[in-house]
């Protein structure tokens, strides 16, 4: 391999490493979003199988937002990082819906949303617990997104350190 080819190969490796480092800033966010996508997909399937088509609107809406957020995450494999607008919108929407569902559960109005869960104390606690976990995960994602936007996340510091080391 000639010297010129080695330099080109090294440059490609560095570019790929930089893109990957920037992309990994959103690692946790991508997995939480996929988790919500799968949960909502299952919720839609269960409601469909239980003949509750009118209640499928909420998880279908969340699915659409989750798919758009996942597409946005997919397109972030680049050095030029943009703000994750759709991911932020998805997690805000998810938090609002989780809060609304908690309120509905408290007032015993959740049977049509979760016809597969018995309206009892255990069922109520289960639904509220699941919604609280969703709230916690979405709030963690929003905190992480804010850190990324302010360039105060650990991965960004690693990227800057790497960029400084390859310029030596």
């Amino acid at each position: 391999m000639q010297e010129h080819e080695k330099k080109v190969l090294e440059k490609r490796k560095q570019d790929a490493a930089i893109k990957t480092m920037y992309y990994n800033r959103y690692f946790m966010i991508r997995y939480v979003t996929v988790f919500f996508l799968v949960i909502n997909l299952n919720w839609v399937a269960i409601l469909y199988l239980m003949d509750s088509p009118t209640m499928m609107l909420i998880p279908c809406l969340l699915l659409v937002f989750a798919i758009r957020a996942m597409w946005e995450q997919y397109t972030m494999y680049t050095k030029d990082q943009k703000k994750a607008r759709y991911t932020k919108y998805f997690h805000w929407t998810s938090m609002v819906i989780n809060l609304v569902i908690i309120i509905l559960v408290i007032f015993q109005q959740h049977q049509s949303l979760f016809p597969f869960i018995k309206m009892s104390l255990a069922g109520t606690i289960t639904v509220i617990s699941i919604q609280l976990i969703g709230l916690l995960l979405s709030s963690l994602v929003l905190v992480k997104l804010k850190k990324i936007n302010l360039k105060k996340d650990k991965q960004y510091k690693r990227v800057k350190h790497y960029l400084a080391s390859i310029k030596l």
Side-chain angles (χ1 to χ4, degrees):
M1 190 179 290
Q2 295 178 352
E3 194 64 33
H4 173 68
E5 291 172 330
K6 287 181 183 179
K7 286 181 181 180
V8 169
L9 183 61
E10 186 62 32
K11 178 69 173 144
R12 284 185 186 163
K13 284 182 184 179
Q14 287 176 351
D15 287 344
I18 293 167
K19 282 182 185 179
T20 301
M21 291 175 89
Y22 276 116
Y23 191 63
N24 284 341
R25 294 173 73 193
Y26 295 91
F27 185 78
M28 182 267 293
I29 295 166
R30 284 193 308 271
Y31 280 94
V32 170
T33 305
V34 167
F35 174 73
F36 282 139
L37 183 124
V38 170
I39 294 296
N40 288 311
L41 189 61
N42 285 324
W43 189 13
V44 167
I46 290 170
L47 287 174
Y48 177 77
L49 293 173
M50 297 193 85
D51 281 336
S52 294
T54 56
M55 290 301 121
M56 288 174 44
L57 181 65
I58 293 171
C60 283
L61 175 72
L62 288 170
L63 268 176
V64 169
F65 281 135
I67 289 168
R68 181 60 181 108
M70 287 307 303
W71 180 255
E72 178 180 61
Q73 292 296 313
Y74 171 75
T75 61
M76 287 189 156
Y77 185 66
T78 179
K79 285 193 261 184
D80 304 320
Q81 295 286 293
K82 297 176 186 158
K83 290 185 179 184
R85 283 187 1 213
Y86 295 106
T87 304
K88 182 179 173 182
Y89 296 153
F90 166 68
H91 286 285
W92 271 111
T93 304
S94 181
M95 286 179 67
V96 168
I97 289 175
N98 284 335
L99 286 171
V100 168
I101 289 172
I102 288 172
I103 292 167
L104 289 173
V105 169
I106 290 171
F107 291 109
Q108 300 293 319
Q109 301 297 317
H110 69 284
Q111 188 59 36
S112 57
L113 288 171
F114 304 102
F116 48 91
I117 296 178
K118 186 177 177 184
M119 287 185 85
S120 64
L121 181 61
T124 300
I125 290 171
T126 300
V127 173
I128 289 176
S129 298
I130 291 169
Q131 300 311 309
L132 288 174
I133 291 169
L135 277 170
L136 177 67
L137 288 174
S138 284
S139 61
L140 288 173
V141 165
L142 291 171
V143 167
K144 178 80 173 170
L145 282 172
K146 186 171 186 163
K147 283 183 179 180
I148 289 172
N149 290 338
L150 295 173
K151 298 181 180 178
K152 293 187 176 186
D153 57 303
K154 290 179 185 177
Q155 189 66 22
Y156 184 74
K157 292 174 186 171
R158 290 182 188 127
V159 171
K160 288 300 174 189
H161 180 72
Y162 177 73
L163 289 172
S165 71
I166 62 173
K167 292 191 179 182
L168 295 176

